[in-house]
Amino acid sequence: VGWYNSVLLPSLHLPYPDDTLAVVVLSTPAMFEQAFLPFLEQRGIQKPCDPVDQCVRDCVSTAVSQCFSELKVDVRYDYELLPSRKPKFLAQTAAHVSGAAFYYQQSDVTDQPWAGKKMFGVCIHPSFGGWFAIRALLVFEDVTVGSELVQPAPPDCVPSREDRIKLLEAFNFRWQDWSYRDIVPPAQTYSERQKEYFSTAPALRLALLRTWGLLPEEEVQPDLSPDEQSQANGHG
């Protein structure tokens, strides 16, 4: 937890001692076929929540209850907000400080070409490029770590200034074409069906799942608020 808190303002800190153990949960491209589609076939969904959110919550909560039933675990999902409307955790920051993926930000580019324009950052994984997602943070409230746990540096797989510019411009200006995800050669990418799902507007995804035969026809389209639609749109 201390690694995370040390790079953030106090208002964004996790409310635990620095030596508390925390684990970042990522999903790989295989999640869609190996977890999400079977979840829909076996469990269905509960309106009006996002289907992927429900799948992630089911997978993570099941794993935590089966593997850590005697421990107190604070599970925070990437889509959850605090009453203040701030996220329960900053997913990309958590991935970076854990060493899981490098969070490339505007400040990582020297002699910026954008004339003061705000550029949003993005995490890149050394094996999956941009074809992954950060899903949850598990804080093991009563588990502490000692000095033997050394913080790993995230793999800098986009080291050149030119490629970092290419990455941030593709992510900020052309994220719909998926190209930023291929900034490094990925071990896996999304399947065509997965691309179709995440390319579909959140409000239309249940209809798409019905055309795939994964939801009954009588399912009613959820009425997502703008905030919910914005959150759901980023889960790919």
Side-chain angles (χ1 to χ4, degrees):
V1 166
W3 303 347
Y4 177 89
N5 286 348
S6 68
V7 299
L8 295 173
L9 295 172
S11 61
L12 297 170
H13 284 185
L14 297 169
Y16 299 102
D18 285 350
D19 60 354
T20 306
L21 176 66
V23 176
V24 181
V25 179
L26 310 181
S27 66
T28 69
M31 177 277 292
F32 195 79
E33 276 76 21
Q34 294 183 7
F36 180 56
L37 298 183
F39 171 80
L40 293 178
E41 293 172 346
Q42 298 165 13
R43 304 288 187 89
I45 62 169
Q46 297 177 351
K47 302 180 292 293
C49 298
D50 178 82
V52 170
D53 291 348
Q54 292 182 53
C55 172
V56 170
R57 180 181 289 273
D58 181 78
C59 290
V60 173
S61 62
T62 298
V64 169
S65 63
Q66 289 180 355
C67 301
F68 308 113
S69 59
E70 298 179 358
L71 298 178
K72 189 174 183 182
V73 184
D74 176 5
V75 182
R76 298 175 176 229
Y77 296 98
D78 68 304
Y79 56 84
E80 291 184 310
L81 299 177
L82 296 167
S84 64
R85 307 302 294 169
K86 293 178 181 178
K88 283 196 171 182
F89 79 105
L90 299 182
Q92 299 201 101
T93 298
H96 185 92
V97 300
S98 72
F102 199 109
Y103 183 22
Y104 291 97
Q105 302 181 71
Q106 188 168 358
S107 58
D108 294 314
V109 176
T110 57
D111 300 322
Q112 296 175 15
W114 302 299
K117 180 179 177 62
K118 170 67 175 177
M119 301 290 283
F120 293 99
V122 61
C123 273
I124 295 297
H125 190 277
S127 297
F128 300 108
W131 301 97
F132 78 104
I134 306 156
R135 299 296 183 183
L137 181 72
L138 313 182
V139 181
F140 292 81
E141 300 183 25
D142 300 319
V143 179
T144 58
V145 298
S147 58
E148 70 276 5
L149 183 63
V150 178
Q151 183 176 5
D156 184 2
C157 46
V158 190
S160 75
R161 173 181 179 271
E162 292 75 15
D163 282 344
R164 291 180 180 185
I165 291 172
K166 179 181 177 181
L167 169 65
L168 293 182
E169 290 186 347
F171 179 68
N172 281 267
F173 305 143
R174 303 181 301 279
W175 60 268
Q176 299 97 327
D177 69 8
W178 310 96
S179 62
Y180 80 89
R181 300 177 187 260
D182 289 320
I183 194 68
V184 298
Q188 295 177 23
T189 63
Y190 290 177
S191 64
E192 291 305 312
R193 177 172 273 199
Q194 189 171 3
K195 288 181 182 179
E196 182 181 4
Y197 180 83
F198 286 119
S199 295
T200 300
L204 302 177
R205 288 176 182 171
L206 288 191
L208 177 64
L209 293 175
R210 284 198 295 272
T211 67
W212 292 351
L214 294 170
L215 293 180
E217 288 298 323
E218 61 268 19
E219 286 281 359
V220 179
Q221 185 78 15
D223 184 15
L224 297 181
S225 70
D227 279 347
E228 290 170 326
Q229 289 194 30
S230 176
Q231 293 169 41
N233 196 41
H235 288 168

